[in-house]
Amino acid sequence: MVDRPATSSTLITVASGQNFTTSLLPTAVGNSTKVFDADSALTDTSISGAYIDEIWFQYTKRLNRHIDPVTATAGTYSANSTSVIVTITAGHHVHVGQDVFLDFTSYSSGVVPIDDKFTVTAATSTTFTCTIPSVGGTITGNVNVYLPTDFAFYLVNAGTVTNINQFFPLFVASIPSTFAHQNYSLTLNEILPFINHPTVQAGSNFTSANNEVAPKHRGLMLKRGQALYVSASGATALTNGFYCNIQGGYY
């Protein structure tokens, strides 16, 4: 199907101008970055469209504990036994099952909880709960929270964007700020949509535990005249960005 392979890599630091809890749309046409172009200018008559079979993010640095796309968010915590409740007064976008890195900076008594990656077990709009190594009695203090970074992908049907309503949100990738997620595949994390690929696929993988990430099972198809854009959530640009890498080709 693909007769002109294509791989692209684009540094993403531009933020949408607002948190995605408000809206997925960028606040201005310049608040998004083009990452793949299927002849949006309609100048290449030799192609009909493009097929994308993988998208992955690569962080700009290699760190051994957590990553820091933006400055950590300040919060407070209350820990008791093996549970800690973190409060971020301004709100957060963390959901149950996500990993966060907690850097405890003060404590009221006993010993300070260990800094580490923890999985969220409960969440409200301003708090979340994690299970931690036992700290004995109740301890309170301050904590720096390395939150996930959210990226929205948009479909655009024009060569030149003149209005934010030309951005059509497709999906959001939320990348935890932990060492294990410095390279983040949208296939392996089941974010790319399922695709009805014209090539027949077969084999034991399609009835196994890996059936949702099987070869060519997820991807995107763009028609000629379309392009793919990406924005990070937030009001300010990322301090340290991610490379958005796309593998596919034209047909």
Side-chain angles (χ1 to χ4, degrees):
M1 174 184 170
V2 173
D3 58 10
R4 289 168 55 182
T7 299
S8 66
S9 182
T10 308
L11 179 62
I12 305 298
T13 59
V14 173
S16 70
Q18 61 187 353
N19 288 326
F20 290 159
T21 52
T22 301
S23 173
L24 290 180
L25 292 181
T27 57
V29 296
N31 290 353
S32 191
T33 303
K34 185 191 293 186
V35 293
F36 195 87
D37 194 327
D39 188 31
S40 61
L42 297 176
T43 59
D44 186 352
T45 58
S46 66
I47 68 169
S48 298
Y51 171 70
I52 296 171
D53 66 2
E54 173 63 311
I55 301 175
W56 73 98
F57 284 89
Q58 176 62 54
Y59 190 51
T60 53
K61 299 187 288 183
R62 181 167 176 81
L63 303 174
N64 64 1
R65 298 201 72 192
H66 61 79
I67 59 178
D68 52 354
V70 296
T71 303
T73 300
T76 59
Y77 74 92
S78 176
N80 186 290
S81 185
T82 59
S83 179
V84 62
I85 299 175
V86 175
T87 300
I88 299 175
T89 305
H92 63 84
H93 56 279
V94 177
H95 60 74
V96 173
Q98 278 195 307
D99 291 335
V100 294
F101 191 93
L102 302 181
D103 174 18
F104 298 96
T105 57
S106 69
Y107 57 103
S108 59
S109 62
V111 295
V112 64
I114 186 172
D115 299 338
D116 208 342
K117 174 205 76 172
F118 300 103
T119 301
V120 175
T121 58
T124 70
S125 60
T126 58
T127 69
F128 61 85
T129 303
C130 299
T131 300
I132 61 173
S134 180
V135 294
T138 300
I139 300 174
T140 60
N142 299 318
V143 59
N144 288 329
V145 184
Y146 291 87
L147 295 168
T149 303
D150 288 353
F151 293 96
F153 283 75
Y154 311 99
L155 182 67
V156 171
N157 298 296
T160 302
V161 180
T162 59
N163 189 293
I164 62 171
N165 291 323
Q166 290 174 277
F167 292 104
F168 295 93
L170 297 177
F171 47 80
V172 174
S174 186
I175 305 178
S177 293
T178 62
F179 167 79
H181 296 97
Q182 294 181 90
N183 185 284
Y184 191 86
S185 163
L186 300 198
T187 294
L188 293 179
N189 287 282
E190 302 179 10
I191 296 170
L192 274 177
F194 288 109
I195 191 168
N196 184 17
H197 196 275
T199 301
V200 176
Q201 304 287 333
S204 60
N205 197 40
F206 277 75
T207 57
S208 73
N210 297 321
N211 65 338
E212 292 188 348
V213 295
K216 307 299 183 184
H217 211 160
R218 292 178 180 270
L220 288 173
M221 295 186 72
L222 305 181
K223 69 178 182 179
R224 179 172 175 251
Q226 295 182 322
L228 197 63
Y229 283 71
V230 176
S231 287
S233 177
T236 58
L238 302 182
T239 303
N240 300 296
F242 289 80
Y243 289 94
C244 179
N245 303 309
I246 297 180
Q247 177 177 276
Y250 302 99
Y251 61 88

